[in-house]
Amino acid sequence: MTSMQIGSENLVTIAQSTAIAARKLGILSTEAKNQAIEAVAQSLQSAASEIVAANAKDCEIAQADGISKPLYNRLKMDRTKLEATIAGVRDVGKLPDPVGEIQLHRELDEGLILKRVSAPLGVVAVIFEARPEAAIQISALAIKSGNGVILKGGKEANHSCAAIVKAIRQGLAQTEVDPDVVQLLTTREETLALLKLDNFVDLIVPRGSNEFVRFVQDNTRIPVLGHAEGICHLYVDASADIEKAVTIAVDSKTQYPAACNAIETLLVHEAVAPEFLPQVAAALQGRQVQLRLDQKSQAILKNTPNLQDWEPATEEDWKTEYTDLILSIKVVDSLEEAIAHINTYGSGHTDAIVTEEQSAANLFLSQVASAGVFHNCSTRFADGFRYGFGAEVGISTQKMPPRGPVGLEGLVTYKYQLVGKGQVVATYSGPEAKSFTHRNLA
């Protein structure tokens, strides 16, 4: 049975077959997995025209259906974006194998040896809106980490995902890896059924809007790795380099506004606001950014020539992920107020400070409770590919690890292996108990 034939009535069977294929994958050598990853990359390249054409069809249908601009930007995948994603697949192949790593090697007593060894999770389900490149990224990471993956793209990406998964499976068919390690679901009914398969699926990774991620979190007992919102901030401190701050602000907002690591709120210290705000407002409006201004920033910018397309900021703006060319601006009287605002309204994703004062940067980096805290650089760097992970499973804003852009380490767990020579616990108990050596081994 191919991934194109999956129906909700046999989803359990599909999950089981994925688990069986994953167990076989989990014992393959690093070389065999890397060969499979290269085969996938080559197959995707061979099918590039078909994939881009399928995506164009999805985009045409989505536009006719009135898709929102941010979601359309996530959906669209031209050849350049596809080639970059394929490059990420090959980068995954170059990474160290995360499976079989001995994290702990300890003698409990002579002839009683303990190891903690990294191991695959099993079956990972990835549910995403638009973002067809997610199917490629996750598949590569799953193969490298010895996991099976069940993919469910949004209906707006059906043609794209079908072409992508077809190419991936064709590539795997030429290797030692069973193509059943990568499966594709296509209907909403399958998504709802998938959330109930806690006996077969070990992790769910949702990638999409905050409403979508929250829906997944609220409707499954399977562990979820994801973030519900990407409300990111840039704070321009009193000692900021103004030119540097303008450049970083523009990039953080406009380089790809639909991304979850684009800033939604710009915080500005009152000491530099009169100099900085007119410059950054002009630069942002030159990129068609709509501004939401608090009262202090309104007062500073009211006499700025040609300032257009702005509205007063409301309390709701501080809580909003626009994923569009919209930015709220607030003037604060201190670094402490900026930190308090971020920790109150932020989503724990990525927040940055622009300052030339190291003590201010240190306080910001230590006190902002987000997965990513940056100094003098764009928030758009919060990305698995840019971190050198090859690709990312997704972004996690939870406090427990894994956190932030999650690569291979998010798809492995570990197990304790204890090997002895007939030892029993009774020997180490009671008034004449033998002592453990607890000696770490090389």
Side-chain angles (χ1 to χ4, degrees):
M1 179 178 294
T2 70
S3 62
M4 301 303 110
Q5 298 172 305
I6 298 174
S8 57
E9 70 280 358
N10 54 32
L11 190 55
V12 170
T13 301
I14 293 302
Q16 289 174 326
S17 68
T18 307
I20 292 170
R23 283 195 289 272
K24 296 176 183 177
L25 170 62
I27 61 173
L28 289 182
S29 66
T30 301
E31 181 182 6
K33 290 189 289 186
N34 288 344
Q35 288 173 349
I37 289 170
E38 176 57 28
V40 166
Q42 291 181 14
S43 184
L44 288 167
Q45 283 187 312
S46 298
S49 296
E50 180 183 346
I51 293 169
V52 172
N55 182 255
K57 184 174 183 179
D58 282 330
C59 289
E60 181 181 352
I61 294 171
Q63 284 186 311
D65 289 342
I67 190 173
S68 68
K69 182 180 176 182
L71 198 59
Y72 178 82
N73 290 338
R74 291 172 179 165
L75 172 63
K76 186 174 177 58
M77 186 171 65
D78 56 18
R79 188 172 289 269
T80 299
K81 191 174 185 179
L82 176 58
E83 288 294 337
T85 307
I86 294 172
V89 171
R90 289 195 163 101
D91 286 341
V92 171
K94 299 173 186 175
L95 295 173
D97 193 335
V99 178
E101 178 187 355
I102 299 174
Q103 302 173 343
L104 178 71
H105 192 192
R106 179 171 297 164
E107 176 194 85
L108 303 188
D109 193 11
E110 184 177 355
L112 187 61
I113 307 301
L114 176 69
K115 291 181 181 179
R116 186 172 68 209
V117 183
S118 59
L121 287 173
V123 176
V124 180
V126 185
I127 312 172
F128 49 98
E129 292 178 328
R131 303 178 187 272
E133 72 274 15
I136 298 173
Q137 295 172 339
I138 299 291
S139 296
L141 291 168
I143 294 165
K144 184 77 177 205
S145 58
N147 291 288
V149 62
I150 300 174
L151 301 165
K152 171 61 180 74
K155 65 177 182 179
E156 68 283 346
N158 273 345
H159 296 93
S160 305
C161 291
I164 286 169
V165 172
K166 176 183 176 183
I168 290 172
R169 290 172 63 92
Q170 286 176 339
L172 292 177
Q174 310 304 314
T175 74
E176 295 182 57
V177 177
D178 186 339
D180 279 349
V181 298
V182 179
Q183 302 280 6
L184 177 65
L185 309 184
T186 59
T187 69
R188 176 177 171 81
E189 290 72 26
E190 290 168 332
T191 302
L192 296 174
L194 181 66
L195 298 181
K196 308 302 180 185
L197 296 183
D198 50 291
N199 288 333
F200 303 101
V201 178
D202 299 285
L203 179 69
I204 290 184
V205 183
R207 297 177 62 161
S209 68
N210 54 347
E211 294 85 3
F212 166 68
V213 176
R214 282 181 175 146
F215 174 83
V216 172
Q217 292 171 331
D218 292 343
N219 287 276
T220 187
R221 292 187 296 181
I222 302 168
V224 177
L225 189 155
H227 68 283
E229 293 174 307
I231 302 178
C232 302
H233 300 77
L234 178 67
Y235 167 59
V236 179
D237 189 44
S239 61
D241 178 305
I242 300 300
E243 182 179 355
K244 186 184 298 181
V246 171
T247 301
I248 292 173
V250 171
D251 187 82
S252 295
K253 178 71 258 184
T254 69
Q255 196 274 333
Y256 185 31
C260 57
N261 56 15
I263 61 169
E264 310 296 5
T265 297
L266 176 64
L267 303 173
V268 184
H269 195 287
E270 61 184 6
V272 295
E275 180 183 1
F276 172 72
L277 283 179
Q279 294 185 44
V280 77
L284 289 167
Q285 296 217 311
R287 301 290 190 95
Q288 289 75 52
V289 178
Q290 303 171 23
L291 303 179
R292 303 286 186 266
L293 307 177
D294 77 332
Q295 289 186 348
K296 290 183 179 180
S297 57
Q298 289 176 45
I300 292 169
L301 293 171
K302 63 182 179 181
N303 295 321
T304 300
N306 302 318
L307 181 66
Q308 302 173 349
D309 204 8
W310 69 273
E311 298 177 6
T314 67
E315 175 74 11
E316 195 60 30
D317 283 300
W318 313 135
K319 306 173 184 177
T320 300
E321 181 183 18
Y322 304 113
T323 60
D324 203 351
L325 289 172
I326 304 172
L327 180 68
S328 59
I329 299 178
K330 180 179 183 179
V331 176
V332 296
D333 61 17
S334 66
L335 168 61
E336 289 73 18
E337 183 183 354
I339 293 173
H341 180 98
I342 293 170
N343 287 339
T344 299
Y345 296 103
S347 59
H349 193 297
T350 303
D351 301 286
I353 181 174
V354 181
T355 184
E356 299 303 304
E357 185 179 332
Q358 190 60 50
S359 61
N362 291 343
L363 185 64
F364 183 94
L365 297 177
S366 65
Q367 294 299 306
V368 170
S370 296
V373 282
F374 295 178
H375 176 205
N376 284 350
C377 57
S378 171
T379 58
R380 288 282 291 120
F381 282 108
D383 175 84
F385 178 77
R386 297 186 179 101
Y387 282 7
F389 297 166
E392 66 184 29
V393 182
I395 302 284
S396 174
T397 55
Q398 63 186 10
K399 293 293 182 69
M400 294 296 290
R403 197 179 188 204
V406 179
L408 288 171
E409 78 283 0
L411 293 177
V412 294
T413 183
Y414 54 79
K415 58 179 66 176
Y416 288 94
Q417 299 176 352
L418 185 61
V419 177
K421 295 182 177 180
Q423 292 91 339
V424 295
V425 169
T427 307
Y428 304 89
S429 304
E432 298 182 0
K434 187 178 181 182
S435 296
F436 290 104
T437 59
H438 286 161
R439 182 170 64 93
N440 289 330
L441 305 175

